[in-house]
Amino acid sequence: MNFEPNETQQAVRATARAFARDRIEPVAAALAREHRFPADLVRESASLGLLGVNIAEEYGGAAVGPVALALAIHEIARVDAAFCVTVAVTNMVAEVIAAFGTAAQKRKYLPCITGGEALCAAFALSEAESASDAGALRTVAERRGDRWVLTGEKQWISHGNHAGVIVVWARTRAQTHDASGVSAFLVEGGMPGLTVGRIEDKMGLNASPTVALQLEGCEVPADALLGEEGGGFKLAMMALDGGRINIAAQATGVGRAAMHASARYAKDRQAFGKPLFEQQAIQWFLADMRTQLEAAELLMLRAAWLKEQNKPFGQAAAMAKLYAIEAANRICDKAVEIHGGNGNVGGLPVERWFRDARVQTIYEGTSEIQRTVIARQLLA
Ligand code: COS
C-alpha cells in the first residue's frame, strides 16, 4: 500500500498550488466581495491543463487521472473554493463528454473546453422542482425533423452564464415522469432560445455565479444528443459519482486552509498571559480538526484511486463527499470559534471559508442523498 502520490501527481499538485498561491490568492477576497467571476484566471487555468486533467491528450487534456485532479482541486480550494467550482464542474462535464460522446462530439467540444475557448462548461440537471429528485425534471425535448427543441427552466447552474458548453438534461419521452424518459443534450452558450435567468444572491462562493437558464424553443441538431435517447439519467448519475470526489477534494482543501489558519492564530494570539494554543480546549479543537481532515483526505483519495483503477467507486465517492463536507463544515465552524470576534468579520479569510463550505452539504447531492446512495449499495 502506497500513500504517496506518484511523480506526475506531485507535479500536478505543485502546478495547482503555485497557480493558486500566485494568481488566485491575491485576488480571492476581492472577487468574493465584488461577486466577480475571474474569466481571465479561468483561461489561465486552462493553459496549465487544469480544465481537462483527466481528458486524453488527443483532445487537449493532461490525461493524468482522477487522483491528480483531486489533488489539483484540493490545492486550489486551500485558497479559493469558488474557483474550484469552475475547475471541478468543467472537468466533470469534459469527462462526461469523453465517456459518452460520439467521436464527432468529442472532437468538437473537448478541445475547446480543455483549451479554454469555451471558458468553462456547465451541468444543467437541476430544476426548481427537481434537484435531489433529479429524475422528476420537467424540461422537455421534442423531436422535430432533424432537430430537438428544448423547452423548460434549469436552476442552480454553476457559471451557466459564462459556459460555452452546457450539458442540458431534458425529458424526451413526454409520457414518463421518472428517470426513464430523460436524455442529455450538448447545448452551446448563447444559442438562440437559451437565456440566462436570475443570478442567485448566495451565502458564499460568490465569485462563482449560480444562475437559472431558460430554454424557450431552443433548437439543437439531432446529433446534439449525448449518449442514448432515454439514457440521460444514468449518464448524470455516473458523472455525479465522479463529481462528488471533486467536491470532497474541495472540502478537504477548505478544511485544511481553515485548520492551518487556526493553528497560526492560536500560536500568535495571547490570552490569559499565554498563547491561545496553550489552552487545552483550543488544542482539542485543533486535534479534532487534524484527525477529521486526515480521515476525509484518505476517503477522498481512495475514491479517486478506485476511479483511476476503473473499479466501482460510486459508494466510495458518496462516503468521501458525505464525510469530507461534514468535516469541513465542522472545521470551519471551529476555526471561526478559535478566531473569536476576528472570525466573525471579513478581514480574515475564515469568515469567507465558513460561508463557502456551507453549500457543499447541498450541491452535487445533499448529505442525505449521499447516505441514500451509500445505504442502497450496502443493501444491494
Ligand atoms: N450509476 C449508474 N446508474 C445509476 C446510478 C449510478 N451512480 N445511480 C442510479 N443509476 C440507475 C439505476 O440503476 C436505475 O437504472 P434502471 O432503471 O436500469 O434500474 C436508474 O438509474 C434509476 O435509478 P434510481 O431508481 O436509483 O433513481 P432514483 O430516482 O431513486 O434516484 C438518487 C436516485 C436519489 C440517488 C438520484 O436521484 C440522485 O443522485 N439525486 C441527487 C442528484 C444530485 O446530486 N443533484 C445535484 C446536481 S448538481 S448541483
Side-chain angles (χ1 to χ4, degrees):
M1 192 179 295
N2 184 0
F3 288 96
E4 279 301 304
N6 65 30
E7 271 181 33
T8 305
Q9 291 158 351
Q10 287 182 34
V12 173
R13 181 170 65 181
T15 300
R17 183 177 292 174
F19 173 64
R21 182 193 57 220
D22 299 342
R23 305 289 293 136
I24 307 175
E25 190 168 23
V27 292
L31 292 173
R33 203 168 43 245
E34 295 158 18
H35 293 212
R36 186 153 49 88
F37 181 74
D40 49 346
L41 291 178
V42 174
R43 280 192 202 95
E44 202 174 319
S45 73
S47 72
L48 296 171
L50 294 171
L51 297 188
V53 179
N54 190 27
I55 300 298
E57 283 170 309
E58 64 176 307
Y59 301 116
V64 286
V67 173
L69 174 58
L71 292 171
I73 289 174
H74 174 91
E75 289 303 324
I76 296 170
R78 290 177 66 175
V79 162
D80 185 11
F83 198 89
C84 276
V85 176
T86 309
V87 173
V89 176
T90 299
N91 272 280
M92 176 170 67
V93 172
E95 285 190 31
V96 80
I97 296 171
F100 296 98
T102 61
Q105 288 170 334
K106 289 193 255 192
R107 274 197 307 275
K108 181 170 180 189
Y109 290 109
L110 288 177
C112 72
I113 295 174
T114 57
E117 290 83 15
L119 189 54
C120 52
F123 191 88
L125 176 66
S126 297
E127 299 178 3
E129 303 292 332
S130 63
S132 285
D133 186 6
L137 63 85
R138 291 184 188 168
T139 294
V140 290
E142 195 189 329
R143 187 69 191 253
R144 285 193 210 147
D146 63 351
R147 310 190 76 72
W148 290 97
V149 183
L150 276 59
T151 306
E153 184 171 18
K154 294 291 168 180
Q155 205 173 347
W156 316 123
I157 312 306
S158 295
H159 52 252
N161 51 340
H162 293 283
V165 179
I166 307 169
V167 179
V168 175
W169 276 265
R171 188 167 297 287
T172 45
R173 299 178 192 164
Q175 69 282 11
T176 61
H177 300 284
D178 60 9
S180 64
V182 172
S183 302
F185 294 89
L186 285 159
V187 175
E188 293 170 23
M191 270 186 149
L194 170 69
T195 50
V196 175
R198 191 177 62 250
I199 301 180
E200 303 295 345
D201 183 14
K202 298 184 297 180
M203 174 193 284
L205 295 177
N206 287 316
S208 163
T210 302
V211 303
L213 291 178
Q214 272 134 18
L215 298 137
E216 286 172 10
C218 178
E219 286 192 20
V220 295
D223 62 8
L225 180 70
L226 180 64
E228 287 175 17
E229 193 269 310
F233 185 79
K234 285 187 195 177
L235 189 148
M237 291 299 108
M238 289 162 87
L240 285 169
D241 282 343
R244 287 165 185 165
I245 302 173
N246 300 342
I247 302 303
Q250 182 189 25
T252 58
V254 179
R256 184 167 278 275
M259 178 188 74
H260 284 310
S262 300
R264 273 195 307 274
Y265 188 86
K267 268 168 92 178
D268 294 345
R269 173 82 179 187
Q270 299 284 318
F272 303 102
K274 56 186 178 185
L276 205 52
F277 183 72
E278 290 185 23
Q279 304 290 345
Q280 191 182 50
I282 302 299
Q283 290 178 10
W284 287 16
F285 283 172
L286 290 167
D288 285 350
M289 286 179 175
R290 183 74 194 89
T291 307
Q292 290 168 25
L293 194 60
E294 187 76 20
E297 288 179 2
L298 287 171
L299 280 171
M300 178 270 285
L301 287 170
R302 180 167 173 278
W305 178 83
L306 285 170
K307 186 178 176 206
E308 191 147 316
Q309 304 301 310
N310 292 318
K311 296 187 175 179
F313 66 92
Q315 189 188 43
M319 290 192 293
K321 182 183 186 282
L322 171 64
Y323 187 83
I325 268 102
E326 300 284 338
N329 271 277
R330 284 193 297 271
I331 291 169
C332 289
D333 181 54
K334 284 288 178 274
V336 170
E337 192 71 19
I338 290 172
H339 283 77
N342 290 320
N344 188 41
V345 293
L348 295 175
V350 282
E351 177 265 348
R352 171 166 52 91
W353 294 334
F354 175 82
R355 288 184 291 103
D356 287 350
R358 185 62 191 87
V359 73
Q360 293 176 358
T361 67
I362 297 166
Y363 68 17
E364 298 217 15
T366 64
S367 287
E368 293 68 37
I369 289 291
Q370 306 313 318
R371 289 183 174 97
T372 299
V373 171
I374 296 161
R376 280 187 184 182
Q377 293 200 20
L378 183 69
L379 299 171

